[in-house]
Tab-separated table of all heavy atoms in Angstrom:
chain	number	residue	atom	x	y	z
G	1	PHE	N	-63.022	27.358	60.345
G	1	PHE	CA	-63.915	26.884	59.298
G	1	PHE	C	-63.417	25.540	58.790
G	1	PHE	O	-62.299	25.127	59.060
G	1	PHE	CB	-64.067	27.897	58.154
G	1	PHE	CG	-62.813	28.251	57.399
G	1	PHE	CD1	-62.436	27.530	56.270
G	1	PHE	CD2	-62.028	29.333	57.781
G	1	PHE	CE1	-61.301	27.869	55.551
G	1	PHE	CE2	-60.886	29.680	57.069
G	1	PHE	CZ	-60.527	28.943	55.945
G	2	LYS	N	-64.296	24.849	58.103
G	2	LYS	CA	-63.933	23.598	57.451
G	2	LYS	C	-63.943	23.868	55.960
G	2	LYS	O	-64.897	24.423	55.429
G	2	LYS	CB	-64.909	22.473	57.796
G	2	LYS	CG	-64.764	21.995	59.232
G	2	LYS	CD	-65.616	20.766	59.474
G	2	LYS	CE	-65.465	20.243	60.873
G	2	LYS	NZ	-64.187	19.640	61.163
G	3	ALA	N	-62.854	23.484	55.298
G	3	ALA	CA	-62.734	23.710	53.868
G	3	ALA	C	-62.722	22.370	53.149
G	3	ALA	O	-62.024	21.455	53.556
G	3	ALA	CB	-61.443	24.464	53.571
G	4	ARG	N	-63.511	22.267	52.092
G	4	ARG	CA	-63.463	21.063	51.268
G	4	ARG	C	-62.246	21.186	50.360
G	4	ARG	O	-62.119	22.153	49.618
G	4	ARG	CB	-64.725	20.899	50.440
G	4	ARG	CG	-64.801	19.479	49.865
G	4	ARG	CD	-66.107	19.214	49.221
G	4	ARG	NE	-65.992	19.716	47.849
G	4	ARG	CZ	-66.996	19.837	47.012
G	4	ARG	NH1	-68.202	19.542	47.395
G	4	ARG	NH2	-66.812	20.274	45.799
G	5	ILE	N	-61.359	20.240	50.441
G	5	ILE	CA	-60.139	20.306	49.648
G	5	ILE	C	-60.265	19.441	48.410
G	5	ILE	O	-61.165	18.618	48.302
G	5	ILE	CB	-58.897	19.935	50.491
G	5	ILE	CG1	-59.059	18.568	51.131
G	5	ILE	CG2	-58.640	20.996	51.554
G	5	ILE	CD1	-57.840	18.082	51.871
G	6	PHE	N	-59.344	19.633	47.485
G	6	PHE	CA	-59.414	18.988	46.187
G	6	PHE	C	-59.382	17.469	46.266
G	6	PHE	O	-59.936	16.797	45.434
G	6	PHE	CB	-58.284	19.489	45.285
G	6	PHE	CG	-58.329	20.974	45.083
G	6	PHE	CD1	-57.354	21.792	45.594
G	6	PHE	CD2	-59.380	21.553	44.403
G	6	PHE	CE1	-57.409	23.159	45.412
G	6	PHE	CE2	-59.447	22.921	44.216
G	6	PHE	CZ	-58.459	23.727	44.720
G	7	ARG	N	-58.748	16.924	47.262
G	7	ARG	CA	-58.661	15.473	47.403
G	7	ARG	C	-59.907	14.891	48.059
G	7	ARG	O	-59.960	13.719	48.351
G	7	ARG	CB	-57.426	15.112	48.223
G	7	ARG	CG	-56.136	15.429	47.507
G	7	ARG	CD	-54.964	15.078	48.372
G	7	ARG	NE	-54.147	16.277	48.441
G	7	ARG	CZ	-53.283	16.546	49.369
G	7	ARG	NH1	-53.097	15.722	50.364
G	7	ARG	NH2	-52.587	17.645	49.341
G	8	GLY	N	-60.874	15.717	48.306
G	8	GLY	CA	-62.107	15.274	48.959
G	8	GLY	C	-61.996	15.427	50.456
G	8	GLY	O	-60.934	15.589	51.018
G	9	GLY	N	-63.127	15.402	51.082
G	9	GLY	CA	-63.136	15.555	52.527
G	9	GLY	C	-63.006	17.006	52.944
G	9	GLY	O	-62.839	17.899	52.123
G	10	TYR	N	-63.103	17.201	54.238
G	10	TYR	CA	-63.010	18.544	54.794
G	10	TYR	C	-61.789	18.666	55.680
G	10	TYR	O	-61.323	17.693	56.265
G	10	TYR	CB	-64.277	18.889	55.593
G	10	TYR	CG	-65.420	19.293	54.707
G	10	TYR	CD1	-66.233	18.333	54.120
G	10	TYR	CD2	-65.665	20.625	54.432
G	10	TYR	CE1	-67.277	18.707	53.286
G	10	TYR	CE2	-66.708	21.005	53.607
G	10	TYR	CZ	-67.513	20.040	53.041
G	10	TYR	OH	-68.531	20.413	52.220
G	11	LEU	N	-61.293	19.857	55.772
G	11	LEU	CA	-60.081	20.165	56.506
G	11	LEU	C	-60.373	21.307	57.473
G	11	LEU	O	-60.945	22.326	57.078
G	11	LEU	CB	-59.012	20.592	55.503
G	11	LEU	CG	-57.701	21.142	56.021
G	11	LEU	CD1	-56.899	20.018	56.670
G	11	LEU	CD2	-56.902	21.726	54.868
G	12	ASP	N	-59.987	21.144	58.745
G	12	ASP	CA	-60.137	22.234	59.716
G	12	ASP	C	-59.086	23.296	59.447
G	12	ASP	O	-57.898	22.987	59.281
G	12	ASP	CB	-59.942	21.711	61.140
G	12	ASP	CG	-61.144	20.950	61.647
G	12	ASP	OD1	-62.255	21.497	61.561
G	12	ASP	OD2	-60.962	19.811	62.124
G	13	VAL	N	-59.523	24.549	59.425
G	13	VAL	CA	-58.629	25.690	59.250
G	13	VAL	C	-58.936	26.670	60.377
G	13	VAL	O	-60.105	27.007	60.601
G	13	VAL	CB	-58.835	26.377	57.887
G	13	VAL	CG1	-57.902	27.569	57.737
G	13	VAL	CG2	-58.640	25.383	56.742
G	14	PHE	N	-57.891	27.107	61.069
G	14	PHE	CA	-58.059	28.087	62.137
G	14	PHE	C	-57.402	29.398	61.730
G	14	PHE	O	-56.347	29.404	61.107
G	14	PHE	CB	-57.438	27.590	63.449
G	14	PHE	CG	-58.223	26.499	64.103
G	14	PHE	CD1	-57.931	25.167	63.862
G	14	PHE	CD2	-59.268	26.807	64.948
G	14	PHE	CE1	-58.660	24.153	64.459
G	14	PHE	CE2	-60.014	25.804	65.559
G	14	PHE	CZ	-59.702	24.479	65.313
G	15	VAL	N	-58.051	30.504	62.086
G	15	VAL	CA	-57.546	31.846	61.829
G	15	VAL	C	-57.087	32.422	63.155
G	15	VAL	O	-57.839	32.411	64.132
G	15	VAL	CB	-58.638	32.748	61.212
G	15	VAL	CG1	-58.065	34.118	60.873
G	15	VAL	CG2	-59.264	32.090	59.997
G	16	ASN	N	-55.846	32.903	63.201
G	16	ASN	CA	-55.260	33.435	64.434
G	16	ASN	C	-55.536	32.483	65.602
G	16	ASN	O	-56.190	32.847	66.581
G	16	ASN	CB	-55.776	34.837	64.726
G	16	ASN	CG	-55.345	35.833	63.657
G	16	ASN	OD1	-54.463	35.571	62.858
G	16	ASN	ND2	-55.964	36.982	63.640
G	17	PRO	N	-55.020	31.253	65.490
G	17	PRO	CA	-55.365	30.196	66.442
G	17	PRO	C	-54.711	30.350	67.803
G	17	PRO	O	-53.668	30.974	67.949
G	17	PRO	CB	-54.815	28.938	65.758
G	17	PRO	CG	-53.620	29.450	65.029
G	17	PRO	CD	-54.032	30.801	64.507
G	18	SER	N	-55.336	29.726	68.786
G	18	SER	CA	-54.727	29.600	70.111
G	18	SER	C	-53.703	28.468	70.039
G	18	SER	O	-53.684	27.691	69.077
G	18	SER	CB	-55.793	29.264	71.158
G	18	SER	OG	-56.312	27.963	70.904
G	19	LYS	N	-52.873	28.342	71.062
G	19	LYS	CA	-51.893	27.246	71.097
G	19	LYS	C	-52.592	25.893	71.098
G	19	LYS	O	-52.137	24.949	70.461
G	19	LYS	CB	-50.958	27.396	72.289
G	19	LYS	CG	-49.983	28.554	72.138
G	19	LYS	CD	-48.884	28.494	73.175
G	19	LYS	CE	-47.972	29.690	73.071
G	19	LYS	NZ	-47.077	29.667	71.951
G	20	SER	N	-53.720	25.783	71.788
G	20	SER	CA	-54.434	24.503	71.801
G	20	SER	C	-55.035	24.196	70.427
G	20	SER	O	-55.092	23.041	70.020
G	20	SER	CB	-55.502	24.475	72.892
G	20	SER	OG	-56.523	25.392	72.627
G	21	GLU	N	-55.480	25.215	69.702
G	21	GLU	CA	-55.995	24.988	68.352
G	21	GLU	C	-54.875	24.563	67.402
G	21	GLU	O	-55.093	23.719	66.526
G	21	GLU	CB	-56.706	26.245	67.839
G	21	GLU	CG	-58.018	26.507	68.547
G	21	GLU	CD	-58.593	27.880	68.302
G	21	GLU	OE1	-57.833	28.824	67.957
G	21	GLU	OE2	-59.819	28.029	68.474
G	22	ILE	N	-53.684	25.110	67.589
G	22	ILE	CA	-52.541	24.689	66.778
G	22	ILE	C	-52.250	23.216	67.039
G	22	ILE	O	-52.050	22.435	66.104
G	22	ILE	CB	-51.302	25.565	67.054
G	22	ILE	CG1	-51.521	26.968	66.471
G	22	ILE	CG2	-50.034	24.923	66.481
G	22	ILE	CD1	-50.460	27.978	66.828
G	23	ARG	N	-52.249	22.820	68.302
G	23	ARG	CA	-52.021	21.404	68.625
G	23	ARG	C	-53.135	20.529	68.051
G	23	ARG	O	-52.895	19.425	67.567
G	23	ARG	CB	-51.908	21.211	70.140
G	23	ARG	CG	-50.568	21.656	70.706
G	23	ARG	CD	-50.373	21.236	72.153
G	23	ARG	NE	-51.307	21.838	73.089
G	23	ARG	CZ	-51.206	23.077	73.570
G	23	ARG	NH1	-50.198	23.849	73.206
G	23	ARG	NH2	-52.095	23.540	74.418
G	24	GLN	N	-54.352	21.027	68.098
G	24	GLN	CA	-55.501	20.272	67.594
G	24	GLN	C	-55.388	20.020	66.092
G	24	GLN	O	-55.727	18.942	65.607
G	24	GLN	CB	-56.786	21.034	67.907
G	24	GLN	CG	-58.045	20.402	67.364
G	24	GLN	CD	-59.264	21.272	67.633
G	24	GLN	OE1	-59.276	22.111	68.527
G	24	GLN	NE2	-60.305	21.087	66.842
G	25	VAL	N	-54.929	21.003	65.348
G	25	VAL	CA	-54.911	20.895	63.896
G	25	VAL	C	-53.625	20.247	63.363
G	25	VAL	O	-53.593	19.803	62.220
G	25	VAL	CB	-55.153	22.283	63.250
G	25	VAL	CG1	-53.916	23.133	63.277
G	25	VAL	CG2	-55.689	22.155	61.845
G	26	ALA	N	-52.593	20.142	64.169
G	26	ALA	CA	-51.314	19.589	63.711
G	26	ALA	C	-51.471	18.152	63.229
G	26	ALA	O	-52.235	17.373	63.790
G	26	ALA	CB	-50.279	19.651	64.830
G	27	SER	N	-50.725	17.827	62.201
G	27	SER	CA	-50.738	16.485	61.638
G	27	SER	C	-50.390	15.456	62.701
G	27	SER	O	-49.408	15.596	63.419
G	27	SER	CB	-49.717	16.391	60.502
G	27	SER	OG	-49.507	15.051	60.141
G	28	LYS	N	-51.208	14.431	62.795
G	28	LYS	CA	-50.929	13.365	63.765
G	28	LYS	C	-49.716	12.549	63.322
G	28	LYS	O	-49.040	11.951	64.132
G	28	LYS	CB	-52.145	12.442	63.917
G	28	LYS	CG	-53.421	13.171	64.345
G	28	LYS	CD	-53.229	14.044	65.563
G	28	LYS	CE	-54.499	14.778	65.919
G	28	LYS	NZ	-54.342	16.176	66.179
G	29	LYS	N	-49.407	12.554	62.023
G	29	LYS	CA	-48.267	11.805	61.495
G	29	LYS	C	-46.934	12.497	61.790
G	29	LYS	O	-45.950	11.863	62.107
G	29	LYS	CB	-48.382	11.640	59.978
G	29	LYS	CG	-49.563	10.826	59.532
G	29	LYS	CD	-49.617	10.790	58.019
G	29	LYS	CE	-50.888	10.110	57.543
G	29	LYS	NZ	-51.005	10.160	56.082
G	30	SER	N	-46.911	13.821	61.648
G	30	SER	CA	-45.632	14.534	61.709
G	30	SER	C	-45.577	15.681	62.703
G	30	SER	O	-44.555	16.347	62.816
G	30	SER	CB	-45.298	15.079	60.322
G	30	SER	OG	-46.260	16.060	59.941
G	31	ASN	N	-46.683	15.959	63.397
G	31	ASN	CA	-46.742	17.107	64.318
G	31	ASN	C	-46.509	18.437	63.599
G	31	ASN	O	-45.944	19.363	64.172
G	31	ASN	CB	-45.733	16.966	65.458
G	31	ASN	CG	-46.321	16.256	66.644
G	31	ASN	OD1	-47.527	16.094	66.744
G	31	ASN	ND2	-45.466	15.830	67.543
């Protein structure tokens, strides 16, 4: 799902994610 966070914008959230979904959602700045 996409959640609207307090700072504005939407954030991807995965429930019981696959390894590829974990890589997809990881911060590009810090992994």
Side-chain angles (χ1 to χ4, degrees):
F1 61 91
K2 288 188 178 290
R4 194 172 85 190
I5 56 175
F6 301 113
R7 293 179 233 158
Y10 281 84
L11 172 70
D12 284 308
V13 179
F14 287 93
V15 183
N16 296 345
S18 67
K19 289 192 183 286
S20 66
E21 289 167 337
I22 289 172
R23 284 190 296 281
Q24 176 184 338
V25 78
S27 167
K28 303 309 178 227
K29 296 177 187 176
S30 65
N31 270 346

